[in-house]
Amino acid sequence: MFSLKVDGIAQAAIASIEAGRKPKIQFYNTMQSLLEEYLNIQREDFAQDIRLEFEQRKEALAEPELERLTKQRYQEWLNASP
């Protein structure tokens, strides 16, 4: 993600310098976005698995029930992960 923002940061710094200011650029990486993306993908995979299970059994699945089952499976996975 950081590499996507470099051009915008550089342009803002250049504009700041041209305006007579002294910009300060800091970078802080917690890997939060990477972890959030991984967890979101994992949750989406659980939802897809649940949809497929219901389709194979030819059962209807309402959105609130899908959310409940996905949340339950996700929490079980989080609790089992080391």
Side-chain angles (χ1 to χ4, degrees):
M1 288 302 258
F2 180 73
S3 63
L4 298 176
K5 298 178 182 181
V6 170
D7 289 336
I9 293 168
Q11 292 300 322
I14 291 167
S16 189
I17 291 168
E18 289 172 348
R21 294 187 294 270
K22 297 179 182 176
K24 180 179 178 182
I25 300 171
Q26 293 181 318
F27 176 71
Y28 185 71
N29 183 3
T30 62
M31 295 194 52
Q32 179 180 349
S33 61
L34 178 63
L35 291 172
E36 287 176 350
E37 183 177 344
Y38 171 73
L39 293 173
N40 286 336
I41 289 169
Q42 193 65 40
R43 190 176 174 101
E44 290 169 10
D45 287 348
F46 289 137
Q48 184 62 30
D49 290 346
I50 292 167
R51 281 188 199 97
L52 290 173
E53 290 168 12
F54 273 76
E55 285 176 15
Q56 289 172 349
R57 295 190 311 241
K58 299 184 191 295
E59 295 180 27
L61 178 62
E63 192 64 30
E65 181 68 0
L66 173 62
E67 286 297 317
R68 187 187 70 74
L69 291 171
T70 301
K71 183 177 180 180
Q72 178 183 352
R73 193 168 293 180
Y74 181 74
Q75 287 299 322
E76 290 169 358
W77 175 77
L78 286 175
N79 292 334
S81 297

